[in-house]
Amino acid sequence: MQSSDDRARGAGDGPERSAENRRDHGAPTHEVWHQDPWYDLSALGWDEPYDAGAPAPTVPPARGEPDPAAARAREVYVEVQRSAAFQEVRSRYRRFVVPGVAVFLSWYVAYVIAATTAPGLMARPVVGAVNVAMLAGLGQFLTTFLLTWAYTRHARLRRDRAALELRWDTQELTRETRGGAR
C-alpha cells in the first residue's frame, strides 16, 4: 500500500529511513550517539582486551585452599560463638525481640482485620471527625516509636556492654592468632 508521497506505508521506521528523511529535508546527516554517563566501559573493563598492556585480572583463591592464619581465626570465632557469654547475649536479644515482634505483628494484623471486616466499628466517631480507625492508625505509629525506644533501651542496658567486651576479646584473639602484637 502506498502513501500520498509515493512511499510504502510504515516506511520511515529505522535509522536508514531517518537518515534519508534528514537528507530529503535538509537536516544534517551526521549520526547522534547517546552516551549514558552511568554506563562506563572503562570501569567495567570492556574497552580494552587483556593484552593491551594491563595484566589480566587475578582470580581469588578458592575457599577450600588452606590458609593457616584464616583457619586459626575461624576457630577463634567458633570458640567465641560457643562461649557462655555469647550465648547469654543472644538469649537476652531473643527474650526481647521475639515477644516484641509477636505483640507488634498481632496488633498490626488485628488493625488490618478490623479495618476490613468491621468498617462500622472503625467508622464510629470518637471526638468530632476523629473516628476509631484514625486513632488505631495513629496508634500504629505510636507503638512503632514505643517499640523502637524500648529496644534501644534494652540493648543499651542489657546487651551493649557484654557485646562490646565479646567483640574486643574476639579481636584480640584473632590478632594473636595472626601473629600481631597484643
Side-chain angles (χ1 to χ4, degrees):
M1 184 181 262
Q2 296 288 323
S3 66
S4 62
D5 61 357
D6 294 330
R7 286 191 294 181
R9 223 175 255 224
D13 310 21
E16 65 280 345
R17 295 300 292 171
S18 300
E20 288 176 19
N21 288 340
R22 282 193 297 267
R23 271 193 300 269
D24 293 343
H25 300 294
T29 59
H30 67 278
E31 289 294 322
V32 177
W33 292 94
H34 173 72
Q35 292 191 3
D36 186 0
W38 299 105
Y39 187 75
D40 188 6
L41 287 177
S42 62
L44 296 173
W46 292 351
D47 62 336
E48 295 181 3
Y50 289 137
D51 59 351
T58 59
V59 177
R63 292 191 89 180
E65 293 181 16
D67 180 13
R72 287 190 303 267
R74 190 171 26 255
E75 290 171 6
V76 166
Y77 283 102
V78 170
E79 178 185 334
V80 168
Q81 185 179 7
R82 291 180 182 156
S83 71
F86 182 83
Q87 296 303 321
E88 179 62 26
V89 169
R90 293 296 295 168
S91 67
R92 287 179 185 176
Y93 172 78
R94 285 189 200 106
R95 280 191 303 244
F96 181 85
V97 168
V98 171
V101 168
V103 167
F104 184 78
L105 285 179
S106 300
W107 157 233
Y108 176 74
V109 169
Y111 170 70
V112 171
I113 289 172
T116 56
T117 60
L121 170 71
M122 299 300 269
R124 184 173 295 155
V126 176
V127 175
V130 178
N131 59 19
V132 173
M134 293 173 109
L135 289 179
L138 290 172
Q140 292 286 320
F141 286 104
L142 180 66
T143 55
T144 301
F145 291 120
L146 183 66
L147 187 63
T148 303
W149 171 81
Y151 176 80
T152 56
R153 183 175 186 276
H154 178 269
R156 186 182 68 243
L157 295 177
R158 295 196 169 75
R159 286 192 330 252
D160 284 352
R161 183 175 306 264
L164 186 61
E165 288 173 4
L166 269 173
R167 187 173 74 188
W168 183 260
D169 293 343
T170 305
Q171 288 177 351
E172 285 200 7
L173 288 171
T174 56
R175 194 175 305 125
E176 288 174 7
T177 60
R178 291 190 176 159
R182 270 188 107 171

